[in-house]
Amino acid sequence: MSETQVIRVRYWAAARAAAGIAEEEVAVAGPLTLAELRAEVVGRHAGTRLPEVVGVCSVLVGERPVSSTDPAAVVVQPGETVEFLPPFAAADRSPIGHDELVRRLDSLPPLSVRRQRTRRGDQCRTRPPRDRPRRSGATAATAWCSAVS
């Protein structure tokens, strides 16, 4: 009688959103190829964007990156963890043109700006986060711009 073991599958970022869960366990009787495991998890989440997202993901088996290897050649042993990491720079979106970018930026709400007197004259800056202590001088969290008069 064979004992059923599991492979833990973790989803990150867009893969997590598409699957609707952060991780799951896949019951297996023995080793699987990465291609078989991918087909299993895609089948579990039919009707979602997971097939598209998993297709562009980088994959880790344990601590080992295997994205450049043929999925049919990668063997996943029971007890291992497989992680699907989508491109974090929104690679699934098509590029937009300049006019569309300007339109989207114009539709954003304005920043909270306050005027401040400095040695260089009138300046404006965005408010620093309230959870940080205030420091003198400009910090990385402070954006400066010339005042419009």
Side-chain angles (χ1 to χ4, degrees):
M1 181 166 144
S2 67
E3 183 178 317
T4 302
Q5 298 173 329
V6 297
I7 296 173
R8 178 171 297 195
V9 179
R10 290 190 180 140
Y11 304 104
W12 295 93
R16 177 184 291 182
I21 55 173
E23 67 180 55
E24 65 182 315
E25 293 183 343
V26 177
V28 294
L32 292 178
T33 66
L34 181 57
E36 293 169 334
L37 180 65
R38 187 178 285 176
E40 171 67 25
V41 297
V42 164
R44 288 180 175 206
H45 301 280
T48 66
R49 289 188 53 231
L50 191 61
E52 302 152 21
V53 175
V54 166
V56 297
C57 283
S58 297
V59 182
L60 295 175
V61 175
E63 302 278 325
R64 191 176 80 232
V66 295
S67 300
S68 60
T69 312
D70 178 20
V74 177
V75 177
V76 182
Q77 298 292 332
E80 287 189 303
T81 299
V82 176
E83 301 185 58
F84 290 100
L85 297 105
F88 291 100
D92 60 337
R93 295 185 183 169
S94 60
I96 60 172
H98 179 267
D99 294 337
E100 177 65 14
L101 177 62
V102 169
R103 187 190 66 74
R104 288 182 186 182
L105 289 174
D106 286 343
S107 68
L108 294 174
L111 293 172
S112 173
V113 176
R114 66 184 170 104
R115 294 182 69 82
Q116 176 177 336
R117 293 288 293 172
T118 66
R119 282 184 256 170
R120 290 188 248 156
D122 282 341
Q123 298 280 324
C124 64
R125 69 177 183 175
T126 60
R127 289 187 180 159
R130 296 245 182 234
D131 58 338
R132 286 185 162 171
R134 293 183 185 232
R135 297 188 213 169
S136 60
T139 65
T142 306
W144 292 90
C145 65
S146 299
V148 178
S149 304

